[in-house]
Amino acid sequence: GRRDETPEHEICFDKPFWVDKYEVTQGQFVQFGGQKANANRFTRDDFPIEQITWLEASNYCENNRDSRLPIEPEWEYVARGPNNLLYPWGNDFVGDNVVYFGNENKITSVGTREGGVSWVGAMDMVGNVWEWVGSWYGFYPYNNTYEDSNRTGLRVFRGGSCCSFNDIPRSTLRNGLQSTTLGNNIGFRCVRP
């Protein structure tokens, strides 16, 4: 992977967690009383929420769903599994398994690419929209608290989107933005114990 995706290292989880099967949809966001400042660019109840800041996504999980954003190692484990797959479905890229610039080049309904399901049944872990996670952006390896000790002030988003032109969406793909910056083509999913 890219420089900020290395070195490969092992992380163990102390506690099990549940993860949303799908990215939070626009319909769910409204149903559970989510609040955000900017309108979605592509609107439909079964489309993932987008045009959202990290703070808005984090607040939604905590205040509206009694949950939280996944930390980066949790997100990657859901996407890659114990076999460290490059894509949620395996190690070979299959364009029909993901919503990306090579086929849709726009956000679409969650869960439409059934071949892209992860080992735990999570859909759209790569492509469609990037996903905010709860971790600070920094270089690996993580310390014992899963937070990089050399914080950049940026929050991590993972997995690539429908419009990622520079990289094919994959399980290790990551980037960072300020927590108050509007995330174009960035959504999220929640986790809880």
PDB file of all heavy atoms in Angstrom, residues 17-39:
ATOM      1  N   PHE A  17     -17.364  -6.283  19.345  1.00  0.00           N
ATOM      2  CA  PHE A  17     -18.200  -5.139  18.967  1.00  0.00           C
ATOM      3  C   PHE A  17     -19.124  -5.540  17.825  1.00  0.00           C
ATOM      4  O   PHE A  17     -18.859  -6.492  17.103  1.00  0.00           O
ATOM      5  CB  PHE A  17     -17.334  -3.940  18.564  1.00  0.00           C
ATOM      6  CG  PHE A  17     -16.414  -4.206  17.400  1.00  0.00           C
ATOM      7  CD1 PHE A  17     -16.805  -3.929  16.095  1.00  0.00           C
ATOM      8  CD2 PHE A  17     -15.146  -4.746  17.604  1.00  0.00           C
ATOM      9  CE1 PHE A  17     -15.970  -4.187  15.018  1.00  0.00           C
ATOM     10  CE2 PHE A  17     -14.295  -5.010  16.527  1.00  0.00           C
ATOM     11  CZ  PHE A  17     -14.710  -4.721  15.240  1.00  0.00           C
ATOM     12  N   TRP A  18     -20.237  -4.804  17.698  1.00  0.00           N
ATOM     13  CA  TRP A  18     -21.171  -4.945  16.589  1.00  0.00           C
ATOM     14  C   TRP A  18     -20.928  -3.780  15.636  1.00  0.00           C
ATOM     15  O   TRP A  18     -20.647  -2.686  16.072  1.00  0.00           O
ATOM     16  CB  TRP A  18     -22.618  -4.888  17.082  1.00  0.00           C
ATOM     17  CG  TRP A  18     -23.027  -6.059  17.919  1.00  0.00           C
ATOM     18  CD1 TRP A  18     -23.089  -6.096  19.280  1.00  0.00           C
ATOM     19  CD2 TRP A  18     -23.413  -7.343  17.456  1.00  0.00           C
ATOM     20  NE1 TRP A  18     -23.504  -7.333  19.688  1.00  0.00           N
ATOM     21  CE2 TRP A  18     -23.710  -8.125  18.586  1.00  0.00           C
ATOM     22  CE3 TRP A  18     -23.538  -7.908  16.186  1.00  0.00           C
ATOM     23  CZ2 TRP A  18     -24.131  -9.441  18.484  1.00  0.00           C
ATOM     24  CZ3 TRP A  18     -23.955  -9.228  16.095  1.00  0.00           C
ATOM     25  CH2 TRP A  18     -24.244  -9.975  17.229  1.00  0.00           C
ATOM     26  N   VAL A  19     -21.080  -4.026  14.357  1.00  0.00           N
ATOM     27  CA  VAL A  19     -20.907  -2.985  13.350  1.00  0.00           C
ATOM     28  C   VAL A  19     -22.143  -2.953  12.457  1.00  0.00           C
ATOM     29  O   VAL A  19     -22.759  -3.994  12.200  1.00  0.00           O
ATOM     30  CB  VAL A  19     -19.620  -3.226  12.518  1.00  0.00           C
ATOM     31  CG1 VAL A  19     -19.689  -4.531  11.735  1.00  0.00           C
ATOM     32  CG2 VAL A  19     -19.323  -2.057  11.593  1.00  0.00           C
ATOM     33  N   ASP A  20     -22.529  -1.767  12.009  1.00  0.00           N
ATOM     34  CA  ASP A  20     -23.643  -1.646  11.076  1.00  0.00           C
ATOM     35  C   ASP A  20     -23.348  -2.452   9.814  1.00  0.00           C
ATOM     36  O   ASP A  20     -22.226  -2.411   9.290  1.00  0.00           O
ATOM     37  CB  ASP A  20     -23.859  -0.186  10.664  1.00  0.00           C
ATOM     38  CG  ASP A  20     -24.483   0.670  11.747  1.00  0.00           C
ATOM     39  OD1 ASP A  20     -24.975   0.119  12.755  1.00  0.00           O
ATOM     40  OD2 ASP A  20     -24.485   1.900  11.568  1.00  0.00           O
ATOM     41  N   LYS A  21     -24.351  -3.142   9.319  1.00  0.00           N
ATOM     42  CA  LYS A  21     -24.192  -3.902   8.078  1.00  0.00           C
ATOM     43  C   LYS A  21     -23.991  -2.961   6.894  1.00  0.00           C
ATOM     44  O   LYS A  21     -23.251  -3.260   5.963  1.00  0.00           O
ATOM     45  CB  LYS A  21     -25.423  -4.783   7.851  1.00  0.00           C
ATOM     46  CG  LYS A  21     -25.351  -5.612   6.597  1.00  0.00           C
ATOM     47  CD  LYS A  21     -26.528  -6.560   6.471  1.00  0.00           C
ATOM     48  CE  LYS A  21     -26.392  -7.406   5.218  1.00  0.00           C
ATOM     49  NZ  LYS A  21     -27.454  -8.430   5.160  1.00  0.00           N
ATOM     50  N   TYR A  22     -24.681  -1.807   6.930  1.00  0.00           N
ATOM     51  CA  TYR A  22     -24.613  -0.842   5.838  1.00  0.00           C
ATOM     52  C   TYR A  22     -24.117   0.507   6.346  1.00  0.00           C
ATOM     53  O   TYR A  22     -24.230   0.811   7.533  1.00  0.00           O
ATOM     54  CB  TYR A  22     -26.014  -0.623   5.230  1.00  0.00           C
ATOM     55  CG  TYR A  22     -26.664  -1.875   4.736  1.00  0.00           C
ATOM     56  CD1 TYR A  22     -27.687  -2.469   5.457  1.00  0.00           C
ATOM     57  CD2 TYR A  22     -26.265  -2.471   3.544  1.00  0.00           C
ATOM     58  CE1 TYR A  22     -28.308  -3.626   5.010  1.00  0.00           C
ATOM     59  CE2 TYR A  22     -26.879  -3.627   3.091  1.00  0.00           C
ATOM     60  CZ  TYR A  22     -27.893  -4.207   3.829  1.00  0.00           C
ATOM     61  OH  TYR A  22     -28.494  -5.353   3.381  1.00  0.00           O
ATOM     62  N   GLU A  23     -23.636   1.321   5.429  1.00  0.00           N
ATOM     63  CA  GLU A  23     -23.372   2.712   5.747  1.00  0.00           C
ATOM     64  C   GLU A  23     -24.688   3.348   6.167  1.00  0.00           C
ATOM     65  O   GLU A  23     -25.756   2.966   5.669  1.00  0.00           O
ATOM     66  CB  GLU A  23     -22.806   3.428   4.516  1.00  0.00           C
ATOM     67  CG  GLU A  23     -21.475   2.869   4.067  1.00  0.00           C
ATOM     68  CD  GLU A  23     -21.191   3.039   2.590  1.00  0.00           C
ATOM     69  OE1 GLU A  23     -22.138   3.089   1.772  1.00  0.00           O
ATOM     70  OE2 GLU A  23     -20.005   3.102   2.239  1.00  0.00           O
ATOM     71  N   VAL A  24     -24.644   4.318   7.078  1.00  0.00           N
ATOM     72  CA  VAL A  24     -25.862   4.992   7.510  1.00  0.00           C
ATOM     73  C   VAL A  24     -26.491   5.654   6.286  1.00  0.00           C
ATOM     74  O   VAL A  24     -25.834   6.397   5.566  1.00  0.00           O
ATOM     75  CB  VAL A  24     -25.557   6.043   8.603  1.00  0.00           C
ATOM     76  CG1 VAL A  24     -26.788   6.885   8.915  1.00  0.00           C
ATOM     77  CG2 VAL A  24     -25.034   5.354   9.862  1.00  0.00           C
ATOM     78  N   THR A  25     -27.769   5.349   6.057  1.00  0.00           N
ATOM     79  CA  THR A  25     -28.456   5.912   4.893  1.00  0.00           C
ATOM     80  C   THR A  25     -29.056   7.277   5.233  1.00  0.00           C
ATOM     81  O   THR A  25     -29.225   7.636   6.391  1.00  0.00           O
ATOM     82  CB  THR A  25     -29.585   4.984   4.405  1.00  0.00           C
ATOM     83  OG1 THR A  25     -30.597   4.921   5.410  1.00  0.00           O
ATOM     84  CG2 THR A  25     -29.067   3.602   4.053  1.00  0.00           C
ATOM     85  N   GLN A  26     -29.404   7.987   4.189  1.00  0.00           N
ATOM     86  CA  GLN A  26     -30.042   9.288   4.371  1.00  0.00           C
ATOM     87  C   GLN A  26     -31.380   9.138   5.087  1.00  0.00           C
ATOM     88  O   GLN A  26     -31.726   9.945   5.947  1.00  0.00           O
ATOM     89  CB  GLN A  26     -30.213   9.977   3.019  1.00  0.00           C
ATOM     90  CG  GLN A  26     -28.883  10.307   2.379  1.00  0.00           C
ATOM     91  CD  GLN A  26     -29.003  10.835   0.965  1.00  0.00           C
ATOM     92  OE1 GLN A  26     -30.036  11.354   0.565  1.00  0.00           O
ATOM     93  NE2 GLN A  26     -27.929  10.714   0.193  1.00  0.00           N
ATOM     94  N   GLY A  27     -32.125   8.074   4.779  1.00  0.00           N
ATOM     95  CA  GLY A  27     -33.394   7.826   5.453  1.00  0.00           C
ATOM     96  C   GLY A  27     -33.214   7.554   6.941  1.00  0.00           C
ATOM     97  O   GLY A  27     -33.964   8.070   7.773  1.00  0.00           O
ATOM     98  N   GLN A  28     -32.207   6.728   7.296  1.00  0.00           N
ATOM     99  CA  GLN A  28     -31.930   6.449   8.709  1.00  0.00           C
ATOM    100  C   GLN A  28     -31.503   7.704   9.440  1.00  0.00           C
ATOM    101  O   GLN A  28     -31.895   7.919  10.591  1.00  0.00           O
ATOM    102  CB  GLN A  28     -30.814   5.403   8.824  1.00  0.00           C
ATOM    103  CG  GLN A  28     -31.198   4.026   8.426  1.00  0.00           C
ATOM    104  CD  GLN A  28     -29.987   3.120   8.365  1.00  0.00           C
ATOM    105  OE1 GLN A  28     -28.892   3.527   7.953  1.00  0.00           O
ATOM    106  NE2 GLN A  28     -30.171   1.874   8.762  1.00  0.00           N
ATOM    107  N   PHE A  29     -30.685   8.501   8.793  1.00  0.00           N
ATOM    108  CA  PHE A  29     -30.180   9.711   9.419  1.00  0.00           C
ATOM    109  C   PHE A  29     -31.334  10.618   9.828  1.00  0.00           C
ATOM    110  O   PHE A  29     -31.368  11.145  10.939  1.00  0.00           O
ATOM    111  CB  PHE A  29     -29.232  10.435   8.453  1.00  0.00           C
ATOM    112  CG  PHE A  29     -28.408  11.513   9.077  1.00  0.00           C
ATOM    113  CD1 PHE A  29     -27.302  11.199   9.846  1.00  0.00           C
ATOM    114  CD2 PHE A  29     -28.732  12.842   8.889  1.00  0.00           C
ATOM    115  CE1 PHE A  29     -26.516  12.197  10.417  1.00  0.00           C
ATOM    116  CE2 PHE A  29     -27.965  13.853   9.464  1.00  0.00           C
ATOM    117  CZ  PHE A  29     -26.857  13.524  10.225  1.00  0.00           C
ATOM    118  N   VAL A  30     -32.312  10.765   8.955  1.00  0.00           N
ATOM    119  CA  VAL A  30     -33.490  11.582   9.262  1.00  0.00           C
ATOM    120  C   VAL A  30     -34.351  10.894  10.323  1.00  0.00           C
ATOM    121  O   VAL A  30     -34.794  11.512  11.294  1.00  0.00           O
ATOM    122  CB  VAL A  30     -34.311  11.862   7.979  1.00  0.00           C
ATOM    123  CG1 VAL A  30     -35.651  12.494   8.305  1.00  0.00           C
ATOM    124  CG2 VAL A  30     -33.510  12.749   7.032  1.00  0.00           C
ATOM    125  N   GLN A  31     -34.576   9.591  10.167  1.00  0.00           N
ATOM    126  CA  GLN A  31     -35.415   8.834  11.097  1.00  0.00           C
ATOM    127  C   GLN A  31     -34.919   8.932  12.534  1.00  0.00           C
ATOM    128  O   GLN A  31     -35.712   9.056  13.467  1.00  0.00           O
ATOM    129  CB  GLN A  31     -35.457   7.359  10.666  1.00  0.00           C
ATOM    130  CG  GLN A  31     -36.227   6.454  11.607  1.00  0.00           C
ATOM    131  CD  GLN A  31     -36.091   4.982  11.234  1.00  0.00           C
ATOM    132  OE1 GLN A  31     -35.457   4.624  10.251  1.00  0.00           O
ATOM    133  NE2 GLN A  31     -36.686   4.131  12.037  1.00  0.00           N
ATOM    134  N   PHE A  32     -33.605   8.878  12.726  1.00  0.00           N
ATOM    135  CA  PHE A  32     -33.031   8.925  14.067  1.00  0.00           C
ATOM    136  C   PHE A  32     -32.658  10.336  14.507  1.00  0.00           C
ATOM    137  O   PHE A  32     -31.972  10.521  15.501  1.00  0.00           O
ATOM    138  CB  PHE A  32     -31.819   7.992  14.163  1.00  0.00           C
ATOM    139  CG  PHE A  32     -32.190   6.539  14.197  1.00  0.00           C
ATOM    140  CD1 PHE A  32     -32.173   5.779  13.043  1.00  0.00           C
ATOM    141  CD2 PHE A  32     -32.569   5.934  15.392  1.00  0.00           C
ATOM    142  CE1 PHE A  32     -32.523   4.438  13.066  1.00  0.00           C
ATOM    143  CE2 PHE A  32     -32.923   4.593  15.426  1.00  0.00           C
ATOM    144  CZ  PHE A  32     -32.894   3.845  14.266  1.00  0.00           C
ATOM    145  N   GLY A  33     -33.086  11.342  13.752  1.00  0.00           N
ATOM    146  CA  GLY A  33     -32.901  12.730  14.172  1.00  0.00           C
ATOM    147  C   GLY A  33     -31.502  13.284  13.990  1.00  0.00           C
ATOM    148  O   GLY A  33     -31.090  14.176  14.729  1.00  0.00           O
ATOM    149  N   GLY A  34     -30.748  12.793  12.994  1.00  0.00           N
ATOM    150  CA  GLY A  34     -29.402  13.300  12.735  1.00  0.00           C
ATOM    151  C   GLY A  34     -29.415  14.768  12.323  1.00  0.00           C
ATOM    152  O   GLY A  34     -30.372  15.249  11.725  1.00  0.00           O
ATOM    153  N   GLN A  35     -28.331  15.458  12.678  1.00  0.00           N
ATOM    154  CA  GLN A  35     -28.197  16.883  12.358  1.00  0.00           C
ATOM    155  C   GLN A  35     -26.899  17.122  11.601  1.00  0.00           C
ATOM    156  O   GLN A  35     -25.839  16.653  12.034  1.00  0.00           O
ATOM    157  CB  GLN A  35     -28.185  17.713  13.646  1.00  0.00           C
ATOM    158  CG  GLN A  35     -29.440  17.580  14.487  1.00  0.00           C
ATOM    159  CD  GLN A  35     -30.621  18.274  13.845  1.00  0.00           C
ATOM    160  OE1 GLN A  35     -30.503  19.380  13.353  1.00  0.00           O
ATOM    161  NE2 GLN A  35     -31.765  17.614  13.848  1.00  0.00           N
ATOM    162  N   LYS A  36     -26.993  17.832  10.484  1.00  0.00           N
ATOM    163  CA  LYS A  36     -25.799  18.248   9.747  1.00  0.00           C
ATOM    164  C   LYS A  36     -26.109  19.529   9.000  1.00  0.00           C
ATOM    165  O   LYS A  36     -27.266  19.829   8.711  1.00  0.00           O
ATOM    166  CB  LYS A  36     -25.278  17.153   8.831  1.00  0.00           C
ATOM    167  CG  LYS A  36     -26.160  16.800   7.664  1.00  0.00           C
ATOM    168  CD  LYS A  36     -25.559  15.603   6.919  1.00  0.00           C
ATOM    169  CE  LYS A  36     -26.186  15.413   5.571  1.00  0.00           C
ATOM    170  NZ  LYS A  36     -25.423  15.915   4.472  1.00  0.00           N
ATOM    171  N   ALA A  37     -25.060  20.273   8.692  1.00  0.00           N
ATOM    172  CA  ALA A  37     -25.243  21.610   8.113  1.00  0.00           C
ATOM    173  C   ALA A  37     -25.456  21.609   6.609  1.00  0.00           C
ATOM    174  O   ALA A  37     -26.101  22.502   6.078  1.00  0.00           O
ATOM    175  CB  ALA A  37     -24.031  22.483   8.457  1.00  0.00           C
ATOM    176  N   ASN A  38     -24.917  20.617   5.907  1.00  0.00           N
ATOM    177  CA  ASN A  38     -24.930  20.652   4.447  1.00  0.00           C
ATOM    178  C   ASN A  38     -25.838  19.585   3.849  1.00  0.00           C
ATOM    179  O   ASN A  38     -25.887  18.463   4.348  1.00  0.00           O
ATOM    180  CB  ASN A  38     -23.504  20.464   3.912  1.00  0.00           C
ATOM    181  CG  ASN A  38     -22.623  21.621   4.310  1.00  0.00           C
ATOM    182  OD1 ASN A  38     -22.703  22.687   3.715  1.00  0.00           O
ATOM    183  ND2 ASN A  38     -21.808  21.438   5.346  1.00  0.00           N
ATOM    184  N   ALA A  39     -26.496  19.943   2.764  1.00  0.00           N
ATOM    185  CA  ALA A  39     -27.381  19.002   2.074  1.00  0.00           C
ATOM    186  C   ALA A  39     -26.560  17.952   1.330  1.00  0.00           C
ATOM    187  O   ALA A  39     -25.424  18.196   0.909  1.00  0.00           O
ATOM    188  CB  ALA A  39     -28.265  19.758   1.083  1.00  0.00           C
TER     189      ALA A  39
END
